[in-house]
């Protein structure tokens, strides 16, 4: 079974990004994928701010990433970029901490002007961390996600369709990626 980490760079406990990630998580579970979460906001703030590579919480989070076949990285867009809290955590990953991982970036922002934040802000950082294949991902405007009084949320049909297509592509690529990885490992054993 393929392992996925959902890495949320959301600094708040309740937001529209959580609604998006709930929909993506449901789709990944329906594909029988093993899912772990890293909510960066739940990591010790002092460990993030002081770049404590030896922090037990950071070591545990990094181990989840290391064991994963794929990573969903999600962030709200602030000032045309990913959140500072996400950057603080990604700075604590090993230099090639995402090498060999399939990555699906997701972002939510207040304006269509933030559409390219995935490509021009997050993309170069992921490349620096060793990602060779970043999927197109999805950007959702926060006006496309409605928060209900009971804490649930709803995503407008067009945005929901784009999220579904991005997640389907991620699952499809992930199965191919894992199959290729297993084949390479079997070849190494035979040699």
């Amino acid at each position: 079974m393929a392992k996925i980490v959902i890495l949320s760079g959301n600094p708040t406990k309740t937001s529209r990004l959580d609604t998006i990630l709930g929909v993506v998580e449901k789709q990944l579970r329906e594909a029988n994928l093993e899912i772990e979460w890293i909510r960066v906001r739940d990591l010790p703030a002092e460990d993030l701010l002081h770049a404590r590579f030896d922090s037990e919480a950071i070591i545990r989070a990094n181990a989840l990433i290391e064991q994963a076949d794929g990573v969903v990285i999600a962030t709200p867009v602030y000032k045309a970029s990913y959140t500072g809290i996400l950057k603080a955590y990604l700075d604590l990953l090993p230099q090639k901490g995402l090498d060999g991982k399939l990555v699906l970036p997701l972002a939510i922002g207040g304006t269509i002007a933030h559409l390219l934040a995935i490509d021009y802000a997050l993309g170069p950082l992921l490349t620096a961390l060793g990602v060779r294949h970043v999927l197109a991902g999805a950007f959702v405007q926060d006006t496309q996600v409605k928060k209900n009084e009971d804490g649930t949320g709803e995503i407008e049909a067009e945005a929901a369709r784009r999220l579904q297509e991005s997640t389907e592509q991620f699952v499809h690529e992930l199965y191919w990626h894992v199959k290729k990885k297993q084949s390479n490992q079997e070849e190494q054993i035979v040699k």
Side-chain angles (χ1 to χ4, degrees), residues 9 14 44 48 57 64 67-69 72 124-125 134 141 165 171 174 180 184 190-191:
T14 58
L48 293 169
L64 289 175
Q67 296 162 10
D69 299 299
V72 175
L125 175 61
V134 179
Q141 279 189 262
E165 289 173 358
V171 170
L174 186 68
K180 182 178 177 189
N184 288 344
V190 171
K191 290 180 182 180

Side-chain angles (χ1 to χ4, degrees), residues 7 38-48 55 57-58 60-61 85 89 92:
L7 175 59
I38 299 173
R39 290 176 179 87
V40 180
R41 69 175 174 258
D42 294 337
L43 295 173
E46 285 203 10
D47 294 348
L48 293 169
S55 156
I58 300 300
R60 279 192 305 273
I85 194 169
Y89 171 68
L92 295 171

Side-chain angles (χ1 to χ4, degrees), residues 3-185:
K3 294 181 181 181
I4 303 298
V5 168
I6 297 176
L7 175 59
S8 174
N10 185 7
T12 61
K13 289 192 184 258
T14 58
S15 80
R16 291 172 173 88
L17 183 62
D18 289 336
T19 300
I20 291 169
L21 288 175
V23 168
V24 170
E25 178 184 24
K26 182 177 185 255
Q27 194 173 344
L28 294 174
R29 288 199 187 281
E30 288 170 355
N32 294 317
L33 299 171
E34 183 180 327
I35 299 169
E36 294 284 348
W37 278 79
I38 299 173
R39 290 176 179 87
V40 180
R41 69 175 174 258
D42 294 337
L43 295 173
E46 285 203 10
D47 294 348
L48 293 169
L49 290 173
H50 296 288
R52 293 188 178 136
F53 290 89
D54 60 348
S55 156
E56 289 182 28
I58 300 300
I59 290 169
R60 279 192 305 273
N62 288 351
L64 289 175
I65 297 282
E66 183 180 339
Q67 296 162 10
D69 299 299
V71 181
V72 175
I73 297 181
T75 183
V77 176
Y78 297 153
K79 308 284 190 236
S81 189
Y82 46 84
T83 60
I85 194 169
L86 179 61
K87 176 69 163 87
Y89 171 68
L90 292 174
D91 283 346
L92 295 171
L93 276 176
Q95 179 64 35
K96 296 294 180 186
L98 294 175
D99 186 30
K101 310 295 179 207
L102 188 65
V103 174
L104 175 65
L106 303 173
I108 187 168
T111 172
I112 196 68
H114 291 146
L115 175 67
L116 296 176
I118 291 174
D119 294 334
Y120 292 107
L122 191 55
L125 175 61
L126 297 176
T127 300
L129 288 168
V131 178
R132 293 188 186 119
H133 187 70
V134 179
L135 295 176
F139 173 83
V140 176
Q141 279 189 262
D142 61 5
T143 57
Q144 295 177 304
V145 182
K146 179 185 171 194
K147 292 293 284 180
N148 300 322
E149 288 184 23
D150 64 359
T152 61
E154 299 172 36
I155 303 173
E156 285 184 8
E158 186 273 334
R161 179 192 53 76
R162 287 187 295 104
L163 277 172
Q164 181 178 358
E165 289 173 358
S166 292
T167 306
E168 284 174 359
Q169 182 66 30
F170 179 66
V171 170
H172 175 76
E173 294 275 342
L174 186 68
Y175 281 128
W176 177 85
H177 178 77
V178 169
K179 191 180 245 184
K180 182 178 177 189
K181 187 176 166 182
Q182 290 171 341
S183 177
N184 288 344
Q185 289 172 344

